[in-house]
Amino acid sequence: MRDLKNVFFFDDLLQEAYNPLVRQAKEEGKFALGYTCYFMPEVLLDLPGCFSVRLRAPRCTSPDMATYYMSSRVCHYARSLLERALEGGYNFIDAQLGTETCTGTCRFQEHLAELPDLIQNEKFFVSFTDVPFKRNENSVEHFMATLQKHVLDELHEHFGIDTSDEALRTAIEAHNEVCDVITQIGNFRKLDNPTITGTEFHIINLVSMVCPKYLILPYLRETLEDLKLREPDPKPNYRVKVVVAGSENDDPDFTKLIENCGALVVADRYCYGSLPGREKIEIREGETALRAVARHYLETSVCPRSMEQSAMRQRKKYIADVAREYKADGVIVESNKFCEYWSYERVADTLILPRDFGLPVCSIEKEYINSASGQLRTRFQAFVESLEIKKIQEKEAAKNG
């Protein structure tokens, strides 16, 4: 397939957290608001006058200084973020809006708050939001109240941001436009012969999280139009299709590694992915904008921090439904080493998805940025071969049956 017009530009934007579009928005006087988790609604950080930046630590391989402050048994993702902060890589952010979700990122954000002058920005502050574990009316009310207190009130007090219901509705409308474009781009992955690779989609979705929405949106629209005219290769250059599920994964090179082994990644059910993550926010009749946001993020999340049986089973069904919708042959479940939640979830997925849904699973543990690519390549190649054998056996059974 011919190259997409903007993908190389997008890839360049991912090389640094303080990328050219972030710089442009800062020069225009807007406040950069960092966050790390899906449960911090990015739409609230994209109110007029500010913009959201989901923090990453691209190319960080040895978080030695962060390990001194934290522990070698804290996940590599959290340590890599702290390493980048210690290097001065986040001095551009004006606030970090944290969530009480996974312990690793909480420790990272606590260091941002407690280490004196770690962030060289006199405006900088850290605020934490409590996130309920269950989805019911009480949870929505609690989440709405804590978002008001620890996000909206803080933004208004520190930066004078308009947090009225009208301003929230405007932010939701802009957010939904980005979600619509990303969803339309992602739908090309459902084709029998997809016209977009998993690596390309990974890059495209990531830039929508780490760049100011109003600056990246014209490029996303242009990419969508480009895809509408893109022709697939006459002969597919992949052997099987897979879903990737798991913990924090903001490294497109990891997706590229999988695809170089012959498995096209057609769905991204991981932190920093679009499933879930790019669903439109619906404001129901009689509902305030803030309540709609609180309800939406609780309802759409399939995070493994919720341990009750019904939620756990719903997460497995979600992956199975995604695999069916995107015509995947199997699932790769990954977790970062020492990940608090996905270490357990990965084991459960490895057992339940094949048993209850007939989905082959490749289970791996990895570092945040992968240095052991040779070992992973061997695992992925073996998984691709096993999926091919399974498809041959199914064809033979259907032929003889």
Side-chain angles (χ1 to χ4, degrees):
M1 294 183 291
R2 63 176 174 79
D3 291 331
L4 292 173
K5 181 179 178 181
N6 293 319
V7 164
F8 295 109
F9 170 61
F10 291 159
D11 195 36
D12 286 342
L13 291 173
L14 296 177
Q15 300 311 306
E16 297 292 341
Y18 195 23
N19 63 58
L21 295 187
V22 171
R23 291 175 186 269
Q24 180 179 336
K26 289 281 290 183
E27 289 168 0
E28 292 173 2
K30 293 181 169 56
F31 298 102
L33 307 178
Y35 73 110
T36 60
C37 179
Y38 179 71
F39 280 114
M40 176 47 62
E42 61 183 312
V43 64
L44 299 184
L45 314 188
D46 288 321
L47 285 162
C50 53
F51 63 95
S52 61
V53 179
R54 194 158 181 174
L55 295 187
R56 303 170 56 248
R59 304 192 309 278
C60 180
T61 55
S62 300
D64 297 330
M65 291 187 293
T67 301
Y68 171 79
Y69 283 99
M70 299 175 86
S71 163
S72 60
R73 295 185 180 180
V74 172
C75 83
H76 201 236
Y77 166 67
R79 283 186 286 142
S80 296
L81 293 180
L82 181 57
E83 187 79 10
R84 189 53 46 87
L86 291 164
E87 294 167 348
Y90 300 140
N91 287 339
F92 68 92
I93 62 174
D94 298 293
Q96 175 66 19
L97 283 305
T99 52
E100 294 282 358
T101 46
C102 77
T103 303
T105 54
C106 280
R107 296 296 82 79
F108 156 65
Q109 291 166 130
E110 285 171 355
H111 279 80
L112 293 187
E114 297 300 328
L115 288 180
D117 301 322
L118 175 58
I119 302 298
Q120 298 290 315
N121 184 335
E122 61 182 12
K123 304 184 189 76
F124 181 76
F125 71 92
V126 177
S127 180
F128 280 93
T129 296
D130 179 49
V131 180
F133 281 88
K134 294 186 177 181
R135 291 179 246 177
N136 54 39
E137 287 301 310
N138 288 339
S139 298
V140 172
E141 293 297 326
H142 173 77
F143 196 32
M144 182 174 64
T146 192
L147 287 172
Q148 178 69 54
K149 180 177 180 180
H150 296 291
V151 179
L152 298 184
D153 289 352
E154 293 276 15
L155 293 180
H156 182 71
E157 179 183 340
H158 283 84
F159 304 136
I161 299 298
D162 180 4
T163 61
S164 64
D165 187 76
E166 183 180 355
L168 284 175
R169 288 173 185 269
T170 299
I172 289 172
E173 185 177 347
H175 176 84
N176 284 348
E177 185 174 2
V178 172
C179 290
D180 181 59
V181 172
I182 293 292
T183 299
Q184 288 188 62
I185 291 173
N187 284 341
F188 288 100
R189 300 181 293 173
K190 297 179 183 179
L191 299 173
D192 290 335
N193 189 5
T195 53
I196 185 170
T197 68
T199 305
E200 289 170 333
F201 184 81
H202 197 164
I203 291 169
I204 291 166
N205 190 46
L206 275 178
V207 294
S208 75
M209 297 180 179
V210 302
C211 297
K213 302 288 191 301
Y214 73 101
L215 292 178
I216 200 65
L217 184 56
Y219 296 103
L220 295 176
R221 288 199 201 100
E222 194 173 35
T223 301
L224 174 58
E225 295 306 312
D226 199 10
L227 273 165
K228 290 177 180 178
L229 301 175
R230 196 186 206 190
E231 294 292 332
D233 293 327
K235 183 180 179 181
N237 61 355
Y238 59 89
R239 294 149 64 187
V240 296
K241 297 178 182 179
V242 296
V243 173
V244 176
S247 56
E248 286 83 359
N249 180 11
D250 61 42
D251 181 13
D253 284 340
F254 178 72
T255 302
K256 187 176 183 179
L257 174 62
I258 296 171
E259 298 196 313
N260 284 342
C261 295
L264 183 69
V265 176
V266 292
D268 51 342
R269 191 8 260 142
Y270 47 72
C271 300
Y272 288 80
S274 68
L275 301 169
R278 285 296 173 238
E279 297 79 12
K280 290 184 179 181
I281 299 172
E282 173 198 3
I283 304 177
R284 295 173 181 170
E285 187 176 351
E287 195 174 41
T288 65
L290 180 58
R291 192 181 194 285
V293 169
R295 175 184 50 75
H296 173 86
Y297 281 87
L298 289 181
E299 286 182 350
T300 57
S301 170
V302 285
C303 177
R305 71 191 291 270
S306 179
M307 299 295 185
E308 57 185 337
Q309 279 290 312
S310 60
M312 186 272 287
R313 294 186 182 281
Q314 185 262 338
R315 292 196 298 270
K316 310 305 172 228
K317 184 178 183 301
Y318 181 84
I319 292 177
D321 290 344
V322 166
R324 203 160 30 243
E325 183 179 4
Y326 286 81
K327 305 179 180 71
D329 300 297
V331 180
I332 294 174
V333 183
E334 52 83 11
S335 69
N336 287 325
K337 196 172 183 180
F338 302 122
C339 178
E340 181 180 13
Y341 293 123
W342 274 99
S343 296
Y344 297 102
E345 189 77 354
R346 180 169 58 86
V347 174
D349 284 346
T350 304
L351 294 171
I352 295 172
L353 290 175
R355 185 195 69 192
D356 293 356
F357 301 99
L359 281 171
V361 171
C362 174
S363 172
I364 64 148
E365 184 179 65
K366 68 179 186 67
E367 297 286 9
Y368 171 59
I369 300 294
N370 296 289
S371 55
S373 57
Q375 297 173 11
L376 291 176
R377 182 177 290 106
T378 301
R379 293 286 304 281
F380 295 147
Q381 288 172 339
F383 185 55
V384 168
E385 289 174 9
S386 71
L387 292 178
E388 287 184 310
I389 292 170
K390 181 175 182 288
K391 289 168 74 174
I392 292 170
Q393 291 173 337
E394 289 174 347
K395 281 185 180 179
E396 287 296 319
K399 183 179 177 182
N400 298 328

